[in-house]
Amino acid sequence: APLLMAYVPDAVHWRVTVVGDRALGCYRNVTDPGDFRTSASADAADYASEAPPAIAALAVAAVRALRLELGGVDILE
């Protein structure tokens, strides 16, 4: 099966943790200068914020679509 990929410049990569019908935690992964890949942020504020409501709703819907009780969802914004 083919694997399709695309580079999305300036996208924000969110990792959202979902339990039941709630997005309980999230953090942003950042890109380092000169690199297109994302990695964990060194900024503590990136781990203390809530996901924007649309991002949280999408993450919950993704976990629900798979009929799971919990999941970690990666979303590009």
Side-chain angles (χ1 to χ4, degrees):
L3 177 62
L4 302 178
M5 301 168 103
Y7 172 65
V8 182
D10 302 321
V12 176
H13 174 200
W14 291 91
R15 165 55 71 106
V16 184
T17 302
V18 175
V19 177
D21 288 331
R22 295 186 59 204
L24 294 182
C26 74
Y27 60 89
R28 291 183 321 133
N29 283 311
V30 296
T31 54
D32 293 325
D35 198 350
F36 67 93
R37 297 168 296 177
T38 61
S39 59
S41 171
D43 184 355
D46 286 331
Y47 300 94
S49 62
E50 291 186 24
I55 298 292
L58 183 60
V60 169
V63 170
R64 188 179 301 139
L66 293 173
R67 297 185 176 145
L68 298 172
E69 184 62 26
L70 60 100
V73 182
D74 290 319
I75 298 174
L76 290 182
E77 177 184 36

